[in-house]
Amino acid sequence: MAIIITERPNFINFSKNPIRYQLTTDIDPATPGLSVEVQLFFKLINDSDYKLVIQFPCAVDAVGNVQLDLKKLLDSQLSYLLPLIDNSITLAASQSGSFYIAFRELTDSNPPWITDGFTYFILKGGLPYEKWQKNNFFDNYAGKYWLTWQPQSIELAAWQNAWVTYMHYDAEPENSQLSIKVKVFYSDVTTDESIIMVAPINSTNFQYSIYHIPIGLQQLAIDQLAGDKQVRYYQISVFVNDVSQSVTYQVYVDYNQDYQKLQFNFFNSLGGFDSVRILGEIEKDPEYARDQSESFIGGNYYGSSNLPAQQTNVQIIEQMNYKGMVGYVSNEKNHDRLRELLLSKGIYKINNRRFVPIIVTTKSAAFGNPKAPQRELQIEWSYAYTNENYAPEWIDIPVTESTAVCDTVVSNIITSQVGQIMNITFDSAGPGTQWKIIIDGTSSYIVSAKSASISGLAAGPHTGAIVAVSSNGVMCDGIPFEFTKTAVPPPSLIKLSDYRPIFSIFRTLEFQVGPNVSAGNRFSITIFGHAVIVTATSTDTPVSIANKLKDAINETTTSEWNEFGLAPSELMIGYPPVAGTTGDKISFSLYHTYTASGAAYDF
């Protein structure tokens, strides 16, 4: 009996294109009770440990293959990260990561998991349906290129804030440094060359890391470097340990007076962060939605000095809509590149040093004659929010830094362990009523009581800090503490049987909880790809966990069972499943073409 991987993903993948595995078993696909279970593990590029994303059963086709496409599951683990507005290099840690799978085939036994020995990398983004062919982008366009379809030579206004996104391909030694070098070309034909920015590199997470790099004239302070000279253009390159890593990115400076200083920054299809200017006049077309109520007016209303209203606006909502133009563009290819703005789900304008979300509402765009000497793109947009209050758009209301001082003090921090749960208590003097508990410098928990119960921590030593929030909103200095979490016996949830009687259309599955149950343990049963999960408390036993799982299964709705589109029709006999218990055992029946899996975790 053997199951092997017969097709793998690319070594590096886009999250919005197919990420395929094929598993093949040598067992007869018609074997009763045969199924394959898969676990997907993932970590962000700068995380140290992989985490289980999902465990799910898979169908075996008529020739013994299991087909998997993990793009939706993996894409959900990544998110776009806006660059820092302070013009420094931003590590977009949430936009790339790595993954692997484990798998096993089941008949009536409970075999160990087979962990694939290969890990693969993934970036937030993708290629069009007709362009994607396995690893074609990374074989031909990546490496020393930027994550953008924009040309490597662009024009920016002198005032414009823009970024370009760079992905590093290689692993680097300890204590490496990433630097941005700029060569400036002046109108008087002289030049300057300078290292503008330096960022330290953690060698454990640098490979396939994504960086948003500011490239505007004022962002890079090139205008200060120039003094009285006028900058004609400048070239930007990425270096690691004085070795060039990227193709030069060239920026020409446009000093023409813009009618309005308006630009959009947006995430492109490759996960990069691009910029366009909106030129010419902008049409403003606000829409208003009103909720009204009617009031009863007494017969003597005419005697009042103020005429009472029969109708009242309970709420008035304003949605600001705009029309403008991106252009003029003299190059046919650059004109076509503007289609990417219309496809972006993450578009922003900068207002008062904040990224303000924008929704482009253009339904169709006229790209016109490709041979025309000048081209433009008319677009429509609105803010990604509504308002019921007014302030003039041209007025910025700056944020004033608080000069208030901390008035709350934390002391006497005590930690204790119950099962998998760490309990933290502390004393606090002062009027503050909220505290932030930070564990290992990454995980944080906001509490309004002087205690917290935290699960999900690995066994071993940990560091923490408690930050008090003063009554005036000031974040106080963190008070550090240390503790060690003791390992406890692992929990278990074993599949005892998966049995289909001869001629029956149903199979019956039975799982057993225990013998170890500790506070913080999680127990899950996955049916139709949807995981039903319960968490143990300090008073739970194997019997009570079995009953909690039974209740959780019986209370799950059909829409929840169909979370991944794998559940049967609601008209199918025996659906949704109904569970029952006998002591520490839980059982239920499914239509024979479906199966289920169980798992138990320390946290």
Side-chain angles (χ1 to χ4, degrees):
M1 171 173 95
I3 182 169
I4 60 173
I5 298 177
T6 50
E7 182 180 347
R8 298 177 178 276
N10 307 314
F11 183 67
I12 183 167
N13 304 265
F14 277 125
S15 65
K16 297 182 184 298
N17 292 127
I19 302 174
R20 283 178 45 80
Y21 282 92
Q22 178 177 279
L23 307 178
T24 302
T25 178
D26 60 2
I27 298 178
D28 182 355
T31 301
L34 174 63
S35 67
V36 172
E37 288 184 315
V38 174
Q39 291 179 328
L40 173 62
F41 294 86
F42 172 83
K43 74 177 185 71
L44 292 174
I45 203 69
N46 65 334
D47 285 347
S48 56
D49 298 319
Y50 286 90
K51 295 181 180 178
L52 177 65
V53 175
I54 188 174
Q55 175 180 321
F56 56 96
C58 303
V60 180
D61 66 20
V63 294
N65 292 329
V66 173
Q67 308 289 344
L68 300 175
D69 185 355
L70 302 178
K71 71 175 183 180
K72 289 187 177 180
L73 287 170
L74 287 167
D75 185 65
S76 69
Q77 302 301 306
L78 299 169
S79 59
Y80 294 114
L81 183 71
L82 286 166
L84 298 173
I85 206 73
D86 64 358
N87 302 331
S88 59
I89 299 172
T90 302
L91 170 62
S94 63
Q95 289 187 219
S96 61
S98 58
F99 64 94
Y100 68 91
I101 65 169
F103 53 93
R104 61 182 181 178
E105 59 185 355
L106 302 176
T107 51
D108 291 330
S109 60
N110 186 32
W113 289 94
I114 302 170
T115 299
D116 184 20
F118 295 90
T119 58
Y120 301 94
F121 291 91
I122 184 169
L123 309 181
K124 185 79 170 177
L127 295 180
Y129 174 79
E130 75 280 8
K131 297 288 186 183
W132 178 82
Q133 284 187 315
K134 300 288 283 185
N135 213 41
N136 57 336
F137 174 84
F138 298 102
D139 286 343
N140 293 283
Y141 285 94
K144 292 184 177 293
Y145 282 75
W146 310 86
L147 290 179
T148 180
W149 289 118
Q150 298 299 315
Q152 305 299 306
S153 179
I154 64 170
E155 182 180 82
L156 295 177
W159 55 266
Q160 195 170 348
N161 289 316
W163 288 260
V164 67
T165 303
Y166 166 77
M167 183 187 72
H168 190 72
Y169 252 53
D170 303 315
E172 299 294 341
E174 202 76 42
N175 302 319
S176 296
Q177 283 191 325
L178 179 146
S179 59
I180 306 303
K181 292 189 178 182
V182 176
K183 186 174 183 179
V184 184
F185 297 79
Y186 300 106
S187 298
D188 63 2
V189 198
T190 60
T191 63
D192 271 327
E193 195 161 0
S194 177
I195 297 177
I196 299 294
M197 294 180 178
V198 176
I201 295 169
N202 183 336
S203 62
T204 62
N205 62 28
F206 187 52
Q207 189 175 25
Y208 303 114
S209 291
I210 293 174
Y211 293 86
H212 299 313
I213 298 172
I215 59 172
L217 181 78
Q218 296 176 3
Q219 289 173 288
L220 297 175
I222 294 174
D223 53 339
Q224 299 176 22
L225 179 69
D228 295 332
K229 298 180 181 182
Q230 186 181 66
V231 177
R232 183 165 168 251
Y233 67 93
Y234 49 95
Q235 297 174 338
I236 301 169
S237 300
V238 175
F239 282 73
V240 173
N241 301 331
D242 293 324
V243 177
S244 177
Q245 301 293 318
S246 64
V247 172
T248 299
Y249 203 85
Q250 188 160 281
V251 178
Y252 285 87
V253 183
D254 180 7
Y255 292 99
N256 292 320
Q257 184 66 35
D258 287 316
Y259 181 73
Q260 295 191 60
K261 292 183 177 180
L262 177 60
Q263 69 175 42
F264 289 161
N265 298 99
F266 63 97
F267 285 103
N268 63 36
S269 298
L270 303 177
F273 200 57
D274 288 344
S275 175
V276 296
R277 276 186 289 170
I278 310 301
L279 303 177
E281 294 188 3
I282 296 172
E283 298 180 26
K284 186 187 302 182
D285 184 21
E287 293 183 12
Y288 297 91
R290 291 177 168 86
D291 291 333
Q292 295 182 332
S293 67
E294 293 191 5
S295 303
F296 174 77
I297 305 300
N300 63 342
Y301 73 90
Y302 55 84
S304 172
S305 59
N306 298 317
L307 190 66
Q310 290 183 325
Q311 294 179 324
T312 303
N313 280 318
V314 178
Q315 186 179 48
I316 304 174
I317 297 296
E318 179 186 67
Q319 174 73 67
M320 293 300 301
N321 302 312
Y322 301 87
K323 295 179 182 179
M325 179 182 69
V326 181
Y328 295 101
V329 181
S330 59
N331 182 294
E332 178 187 351
K333 292 181 179 179
N334 289 347
H335 191 224
D336 184 76
R337 288 181 171 107
L338 295 177
R339 291 166 47 212
E340 193 160 40
L341 174 66
L342 304 181
L343 286 169
S344 177
K345 298 183 183 70
I347 307 175
Y348 303 85
K349 63 169 287 192
I350 297 175
N351 185 16
N352 196 20
R353 292 187 57 78
R354 290 196 301 177
F355 286 108
V356 178
I358 298 294
I359 297 176
V360 169
T361 56
T362 302
K363 293 184 179 179
S364 63
F367 278 79
N369 181 1
K371 302 302 181 184
Q374 284 191 326
R375 303 162 183 83
E376 64 185 34
L377 174 64
Q378 299 285 345
I379 66 168
E380 301 175 11
W381 72 91
S382 62
Y383 289 117
Y385 52 84
T386 58
N387 267 316
E388 55 180 330
N389 301 303
Y390 169 80
E393 284 192 276
W394 61 89
I395 292 180
D396 283 339
I397 305 174
V399 177
T400 302
E401 294 294 332
S402 174
T403 58
V405 296
C406 177
D407 61 10
T408 303
V409 178
V410 171
S411 62
N412 195 27
I413 301 171
I414 299 174
T415 62
S416 60
Q417 180 176 346
V418 178
Q420 293 287 357
I421 296 176
M422 293 303 304
N423 295 312
I424 302 172
T425 61
F426 56 92
D427 294 332
S428 183
T433 58
Q434 198 173 67
W435 299 266
K436 176 187 284 189
I437 299 176
I438 303 171
I439 304 297
D440 297 328
T442 55
S443 303
S444 62
Y445 310 83
I446 301 295
V447 296
S448 55
K450 300 172 189 176
S451 63
S453 296
I454 300 174
S455 60
L457 298 177
H462 296 271
T463 60
I466 298 180
V467 178
V469 182
S470 294
S471 59
N472 51 25
V474 172
M475 300 292 286
C476 305
D477 291 338
I479 306 301
F481 64 98
E482 297 179 351
F483 63 93
T484 298
K485 181 182 176 184
T486 303
V488 297
S492 62
L493 180 62
I494 300 172
K495 182 189 287 189
L496 293 178
S497 63
D498 184 350
Y499 176 66
R500 177 191 173 192
I502 298 176
F503 305 122
S504 174
I505 64 172
F506 295 106
R507 65 178 350 130
T508 299
L509 299 98
E510 186 176 45
F511 295 83
Q512 183 175 30
V513 181
N516 299 311
V517 174
S518 300
N521 290 160
R522 291 194 303 164
F523 299 83
S524 72
I525 291 180
T526 301
I527 311 174
F528 317 124
H530 176 78
V532 173
I533 302 173
V534 300
T535 301
T537 66
S538 59
T539 60
D540 271 320
T541 64
V543 172
S544 66
I545 291 297
N547 280 290
K548 286 183 176 181
L549 284 169
K550 175 199 70 175
D551 293 341
I553 289 174
N554 294 341
E555 293 169 4
T556 299
T557 65
T558 54
S559 61
E560 290 172 332
W561 283 131
N562 202 36
E563 177 184 5
F564 297 105
L566 301 176
S569 164
E570 293 188 28
L571 299 177
M572 178 173 283
I573 299 174
Y575 177 76
V578 177
T581 60
T582 303
D584 58 1
K585 300 178 181 65
I586 177 172
S587 61
F588 51 89
S589 295
L590 301 174
Y591 193 76
H592 69 89
T593 57
Y594 296 90
T595 188
S597 61
Y601 311 95
D602 286 337
F603 54 86

